[in-house]
Amino acid sequence: MTTASSTQGTPRAPQAVGSPSSPVTAGNPQPLKRIWNAARLNLINKWTVYWIPLMILTFIWLINMLIWWIIAANTTGSDRQDALDGTQWSGASFYIFVYMLVIGVGAMNMTFAYALGLSLTRREFYLGSTLAFLLLSVSYGVILTLLSYVEEWTNGWGFGGHMFTSVYFGTGELWQRLFVFTVAMMFFAFIGTVSGAIFMRWRTNGLLVASAISIILIVGAVALVTLTQTWHLVGEWFVASGPQGVVAWLLVPTVLSALAGYFILSRATPRG
């Protein structure tokens, strides 16, 4: 992320992130420009944020194609249809969402200290990172939406399979697909952000406490639904809400995680 070269034997000073015309320097009076430079810190490595996750997603897609081909080659009639209908419950594309969580964690733990070293403030770094995650979520939302249409137009890539049109994402209108994919990406990105911020401030002990609280809340919710025998109402809510309604509710923990991440990181001490 920095470059160094020499001219006539004299080492040149490391260059800040960004083009030579827009360095991140102390005393820059343009706050929006500094926030944008902070966003670029999280996007500058295209291999990490785009090419590697897309290459792995392509590999998963090829494996699924192979599985669908095996099913098509060894079954006939209703048996084949039943087997391929089962792919509607495929979670093969979930990897890309988990990867967004990893990007959020990495930004807080690997880029935070470097950003402060470039004289960015905690506020500028966090706002820039938030902007970067929103851009990444939208761009991945567009890519996955296009893939869902291709999957639909080709009848499941020629085999009737489902990877981007599973029941979790639905096959609604364009805005509905884009909304589901983008918001789901944002959810995982900011869960990763607050996790990384917790680690940066309280290290491993903080993560252990946060994990314990999360598990207690989840188990408590499961116990409440089980003891009140209302699982059927939960199922009816999922069916009535559909993918768009369920994902819309994810905006609540997404916003809370984004706000919590900011306040936690604002008091964190950069290390490493």
Side-chain angles (χ1 to χ4, degrees):
M1 301 180 70
T2 60
T3 59
S5 60
S6 63
T7 302
Q8 296 179 349
T10 303
R12 181 180 298 175
Q15 190 176 56
V17 173
S19 63
S21 60
S22 58
V24 181
T25 57
N28 192 326
Q30 299 175 293
L32 292 180
K33 187 175 182 180
R34 291 170 64 83
I35 292 172
W36 173 240
N37 284 336
R40 294 171 65 190
L41 279 176
N42 295 287
L43 301 174
I44 197 167
N45 190 340
K46 299 295 187 298
W47 273 100
T48 300
V49 297
Y50 281 116
W51 299 125
I52 291 178
L54 290 177
M55 287 169 62
I56 296 176
L57 189 67
T58 301
F59 176 77
I60 295 173
W61 172 76
L62 290 173
I63 294 297
N64 275 267
M65 287 282 287
L66 179 60
I67 294 172
W68 299 334
W69 174 75
I70 292 173
I71 293 174
N74 291 276
T75 56
T76 58
S78 60
D79 290 339
R80 175 187 297 177
Q81 191 60 45
D82 289 343
L84 292 174
D85 284 347
T87 63
Q88 295 181 69
W89 300 93
S90 170
S93 59
F94 281 1
Y95 149 79
I96 199 73
F97 297 94
V98 177
Y99 192 89
M100 279 297 292
L101 186 148
V102 175
I103 289 178
V105 173
M108 297 299 109
N109 289 281
M110 301 177 66
T111 314
F112 177 54
Y114 181 71
L116 295 190
L118 294 175
S119 299
L120 289 170
T121 66
R122 288 171 170 78
R123 177 173 173 272
E124 290 166 347
F125 168 74
Y126 196 83
L127 291 178
S129 297
T130 298
L131 176 60
F133 298 150
L134 292 178
L135 292 174
L136 277 176
S137 297
V138 171
S139 59
Y140 273 114
V142 170
I143 292 171
L144 295 175
T145 297
L146 291 175
L147 289 173
S148 73
Y149 275 107
V150 173
E151 186 171 283
E152 194 173 71
W153 292 335
T154 59
N155 187 28
W157 310 98
F159 293 108
H162 300 272
M163 182 168 167
F164 305 102
T165 57
S166 66
V167 295
Y168 311 111
F169 310 127
T171 54
E173 299 179 5
L174 173 63
W175 72 267
Q176 292 175 320
R177 301 186 191 203
L178 184 60
F179 177 76
V180 169
F181 287 124
T182 302
V183 173
M185 283 288 177
M186 290 168 53
F187 170 75
F188 282 95
F190 286 105
I191 290 295
T193 298
V194 71
S195 300
I198 290 173
F199 179 76
M200 184 56 65
R201 181 171 181 186
W202 294 296
R203 314 308 284 180
T204 303
N205 291 337
L207 279 181
L208 291 175
V209 172
S211 299
I213 293 174
S214 300
I215 292 172
I216 290 172
L217 291 176
I218 293 172
V219 173
V222 171
L224 177 63
V225 175
T226 302
L227 293 175
T228 56
Q229 298 182 345
T230 53
W231 277 111
H232 65 287
L233 295 179
V234 175
E236 291 173 0
W237 178 81
F238 274 100
V239 173
S241 300
Q244 295 81 27
V246 174
V247 167
W249 277 100
L250 289 182
L251 287 171
V252 176
T254 299
V255 172
L256 292 177
S257 297
L259 293 174
Y262 172 76
F263 288 109
I264 294 172
L265 197 71
S266 63
R267 296 178 180 276
T269 301
R271 310 175 192 180

